Each structure stands twice: as structure tokens, then as C-alpha cells.
Amino acid sequence: MDKCHTIEYLDYVTCTVQTTLEAAKIIEDDPPTLIIICQRLVEPPSHRRTSFKPIIKLWAPRLCPQILGSKPLLSSHLHFPKLQDGRFNHLYLELRTDEVDNSRIFLKLENLQPSGSFKSRGIGALLQHSLLNHRNPDVVHFYCSSGGNAGLACVTAARTLNRPATIVVPFTTKPLMIAKLRNAGAYDVVQVGENWKEADTYLQERLLDNDPGGVYVPPFDHPEIWEGHSTLVSEVGRQLADQDENGGPDAMVCSVGGGGLLCGVLLGLERQYYWDKGCKVLALETEGAESLHKSLLQGELVTLPGITTIATSLGATRVAQSAFDLAQEHGIKSAVLSDAEAAMGCWRFADDERIIVEPACGINLAVCYDGRLKKLLPELTSQSKVVIVVCGGSNVTLQTLMAYRDEYGWIEKSTTNDTEIPSTLSAPNGVAPDA
């Protein structure tokens, strides 16, 4: 991250513990929670202590806002009545600087959702809605066409609801993702077609029509999916307020494929009245998948002839009509970055924050480096609160990141030469000064 930005995490809660017995008790009381024992206490400056005690970092991402009625399976807001005398704070990390012309960055860690991406919100909400409104939910079999992440979200939610899910993916889907779909518990994974549209057509004409219990799960274009994604915004508002950051975000950054996440963000901002407070939205696409950007330029929906980007999760040749309409209505800022910038965002984020994401998410993180955010949203100030949706994605490995360094490392020849940014010191091609 540029050192001129402040970065804060929205999806962790910390509490001090004195003994491993307390840790064991938390594990016993809340098995879904991931427990990591740390040796350093990370708190806001006003809460810093002179002595460090072991802490527990706890997270439990929500599967969807209302799944199984009003009782969420997993909640990102944790409460432990038996530890009421312990301290609970969101994990806070600040990159300090003397510069005053840039913004504060808040990371919404949707990569921590059960399926590894934000898709769990919308897909989970759609599956729950489908079961509640089906005349015979016991025979429901979900069918989803997806390049990977929507399929993983579908399988994850379907298994939680004890229903089977079949996923249809195009031939462009990598073996890694197919293996993940099968390992997640898919009833079947069918590979057909050269792109998502062809896979989706096969699903609806050859599979869904022959299964009376079949329920279609689109990867992005459905109102229930947008409603699920919209909960991200209200959650951001609550989490900012928990950190005494009132007034909501001044800007939100998200990537666009088919437009489901964008629809959810825009609807959520409407519901929270953040538009009235001047919140900006920066919608990002990669070259070779910029269907929204070209549509906004031409004033009508544009269908791309094909997808030519490494960010295959953004690979919709035509953005959803509702995404286009909402984007026009609210006058969002649309921008297109290169594959090299998206890949750079992935491996620099891994170096700086020890989190790996795929290029469809790396494009959002790329704007945090080398002054890109300021160039795209020059009206932001040092006090502006910018929420980056770390949308996640499972189509990535450490080997993939290393390959990105080899292929796209040339872009870092012009990087900010700042020794306080860890990924500057680890940059390829001799860009950084000798350590």
C-alpha cells in the first residue's frame, strides 16, 4: 500500500486472553470460528499498551444475511457473553505518513467468506429464498453456470442447506478450480462451451429442463443476489461506526464482471443514504473484459466479442442490464486497468498483507499503489474514508503469484521507490534499492 494511505481492516475482532484455557473455551463455544494465537497486540493508537499479551484473532464471515431465517450460520460480528470483561476491537493497522493529500483505506475482506469470495452473500441469499418459496424444497437440485467463484458459493451454500448442486463451467476454467468445486462437495461438475454464455445455455437447455426439481442459480444477474450483496454496505457502515468512524464511506472501490457486486453496492448505498452524503463509487475492469466501461462510453449495452484477460472471473461479455442502468443513474466512475496492474495488485498485496487473491480482486488493490487512487478520484482528501472491496476469489495459488512476478514484474520499473512499503523492497527487476 502507498505509505500515504491509512489502512484498516473491517473483518476481524480481537480480544486479550490470559491463558490457553480461555482460548480452548472459545473454540469449544464457537467451533466455526478460526482461532489464531498471536504474540502481538494490534490496537488503535489510542488503545496501545506498553506490554504485549497474547491475543486471539477471530473471524467468522457470514454466509448470507438471512439464510435459514433470521439466524445466520456465521456472523462477522462476534459476541462472547462469558468473556464480557475482555476487550473486543476490530483489528486495526495504520500505515503512517507525513503526507496529507491522500486517503485512508479500509479493506472489506470478502475473501474470508465461506466460499472464498463475496459471492457467498448473494448466492447464499438466492438459495435460501428459493427453498423458502419452493412447494417441495426436499427435491430441489441447484444448477449454477460459473467460471468458478459463483459455483463455489453455490456448492458451499447448498451443502449447508443439505441440497445437491451441479456446476457447469466453460473449457477455459482451470483444473485447479474444477478440483476445488469437486472437493467442496459438488454433485457434479460439467465442463462445456468456450465461454460462460455457452456453458449457461447448455445448463438451461440440457440439464435444467430435464430435472423437475432443478432450480437455476445465475452467477450474477438476479435481484435476490443483488440484495444479498447489498448487505456488504450496511455491514461496512456498522463496522465503521464501531471504530468511531461515523458518516459512512466517502468512496467504495469494486471490480465488475457481470455486475452483480456493483448492483449490490449501489443498492446498498441507496438504502443507507450514502449517495446523499456524496459517496463515490469506482468500478474497475481489466482490459479484455471491460463490457461496462464500453457500454457507458457508448450509452448502450455493448457485447464484447470475447474475453482476453487473465482476470477470468470478470469474464462476462455483456454486463447485466441493471448494473448498466444503475451505473448510469448514479454517475459512477468507471476505469480500466491492464492485466499487469491487476497481477501486480495481487502479488504486492500478498507481500504487504500476507493475503492472496486472484486478479479479479487484485485490480481493486492495484489502485492503492503508486498514486492510482488519487489519479482516478482526485477529489479525495487525507480524511476521506475509502472502502476497497477485497472480493476474494479461489482461482489463485502461490505458484500463480510467482508466475505473475516473472511475467508482469516489468511494470514495477516505474513504481514508487518507497522503502517503507514492504512490496517495494521485494519488487522484481531490481526496482527497489538493495536491502
Side-chain angles (χ1 to χ4, degrees):
M1 298 289 168
D2 289 343
K3 73 170 184 177
C4 51
H5 294 304
T6 298
I7 177 174
E8 304 180 20
Y9 290 92
L10 296 177
D11 288 283
Y12 287 94
V13 181
T14 66
C15 67
T16 59
V17 294
Q18 305 299 324
T19 69
T20 55
L21 291 177
E22 287 186 32
K25 184 60 177 174
I26 293 177
I27 295 173
E28 178 184 348
D29 289 349
D30 199 70
T33 301
L34 174 65
I35 306 297
I36 305 174
I37 304 298
C38 304
Q39 293 302 317
R40 182 179 179 185
L41 181 63
V42 183
E43 291 184 316
S46 61
H47 296 143
R48 291 265 165 82
R49 301 177 181 179
T50 55
S51 61
F52 294 122
K53 297 178 180 179
I55 67 164
I56 295 180
K57 272 193 322 190
L58 309 102
W59 64 263
R62 77 175 56 196
L63 179 60
C64 69
Q66 302 91 17
I67 198 165
L68 297 180
S70 61
K71 181 180 179 181
L73 291 171
L74 297 174
S75 172
S76 59
H77 300 278
L78 304 181
H79 178 59
F80 299 98
K82 296 182 180 180
L83 290 177
Q84 289 180 351
D85 57 343
R87 288 191 57 125
F88 290 83
N89 296 290
H90 289 94
L91 183 64
Y92 181 105
L93 176 62
E94 181 178 357
L95 301 184
R96 297 185 176 280
T97 177
D98 292 330
E99 298 183 42
V100 296
D101 61 343
N102 283 276
S103 307
R104 304 170 62 198
I105 302 295
F106 293 80
L107 301 179
K108 193 68 180 79
L109 299 177
E110 293 296 292
N111 59 304
L112 300 182
Q113 292 287 351
S115 67
S117 81
F118 76 96
K119 295 281 190 180
S120 281
R121 289 183 185 268
I123 299 293
L126 175 59
L127 265 61
Q128 180 249 357
H129 179 267
S130 298
L131 287 180
L132 289 177
N133 291 277
H134 200 281
R135 61 181 181 181
N136 189 3
D138 290 338
V139 303
V140 165
H141 186 133
F142 293 109
Y143 290 86
C144 180
S145 56
S146 165
N149 291 315
L152 276 175
C154 181
V155 172
T156 302
R159 287 201 65 190
T160 303
L161 298 168
N162 293 317
R163 302 311 314 145
T166 291
I167 313 300
V168 180
V169 300
F171 285 119
T172 53
T173 305
K174 295 180 179 179
L176 170 68
M177 185 59 77
I178 294 175
K180 288 188 175 184
L181 288 167
R182 296 188 186 281
N183 187 61
Y187 179 84
D188 194 11
V189 180
V190 180
Q191 195 168 18
V192 63
E194 296 303 320
N195 53 48
W196 169 78
K197 183 61 177 178
E198 292 182 7
D200 186 66
T201 300
Y202 178 89
L203 181 153
Q204 296 197 53
E205 295 180 355
R206 300 287 297 275
L207 299 181
L208 197 62
D209 287 350
N210 295 319
D211 186 346
V215 172
Y216 177 56
V217 182
F220 56 84
D221 197 1
H222 195 285
E224 289 298 328
I225 292 178
W226 309 333
E227 284 296 319
H229 294 333
S230 72
T231 61
L232 183 153
V233 179
S234 57
E235 193 171 286
V236 163
R238 292 194 299 271
Q239 291 173 319
L240 287 173
D242 287 345
Q243 299 190 64
D244 297 323
E245 301 289 349
N246 296 316
D250 297 299
M252 292 192 69
V253 179
C254 71
S255 53
V256 179
L261 175 59
L262 179 63
C263 283
V265 168
L266 297 180
L267 291 173
L269 290 173
E270 283 183 355
R271 196 163 292 132
Q272 299 299 314
Y273 302 104
Y274 291 147
W275 285 118
D276 298 338
K277 300 175 183 178
C279 181
K280 308 293 183 181
V281 171
L282 176 59
L284 297 172
E285 297 169 285
T286 50
E287 295 172 356
E290 67 274 37
S291 59
L292 174 65
H293 188 74
K294 289 188 174 181
S295 297
L296 291 174
L297 287 178
Q298 297 192 24
E300 61 182 6
L301 279 177
V302 172
T303 301
L304 302 177
I307 301 299
T308 59
T309 175
I310 63 171
T312 55
S313 294
L314 303 181
T317 57
R318 186 182 179 97
V319 73
Q321 179 72 55
S322 293
F324 173 70
D325 292 341
L326 286 169
Q328 278 195 317
E329 177 185 348
H330 292 292
I332 69 166
K333 173 72 174 182
S334 171
V336 179
L337 301 185
S338 67
D339 277 352
E341 289 173 300
M344 175 277 297
C346 292
W347 61 255
R348 290 198 70 172
F349 189 58
D351 276 0
D352 289 337
E353 305 300 332
R354 302 164 304 284
I355 300 174
I356 65 172
V357 295
E358 62 179 62
C361 178
I363 190 176
N364 297 334
L365 299 161
V367 300
C368 300
Y369 295 95
D370 302 331
R372 291 183 180 88
L373 183 60
K374 187 65 174 178
K375 293 176 183 177
L376 293 170
L377 296 175
E379 63 271 28
L380 296 177
T381 70
S382 61
Q383 296 305 308
S384 297
K385 300 184 291 291
V386 181
V387 174
I388 307 291
V389 180
V390 185
C391 49
S394 298
N395 195 16
V396 64
T397 65
L398 293 176
Q399 184 179 5
T400 305
L401 293 184
M402 294 306 298
Y404 289 160
R405 289 173 65 92
D406 293 339
E407 184 172 357
Y408 300 108
W410 56 267
I411 197 173
E412 291 306 297
K413 289 181 179 179
S414 59
T415 192
T416 303
N417 194 14
D418 190 335
T419 58
E420 292 188 21
I421 304 174
S423 60
T424 298
L425 293 173
S426 60
N429 294 337
V431 174
D434 294 335

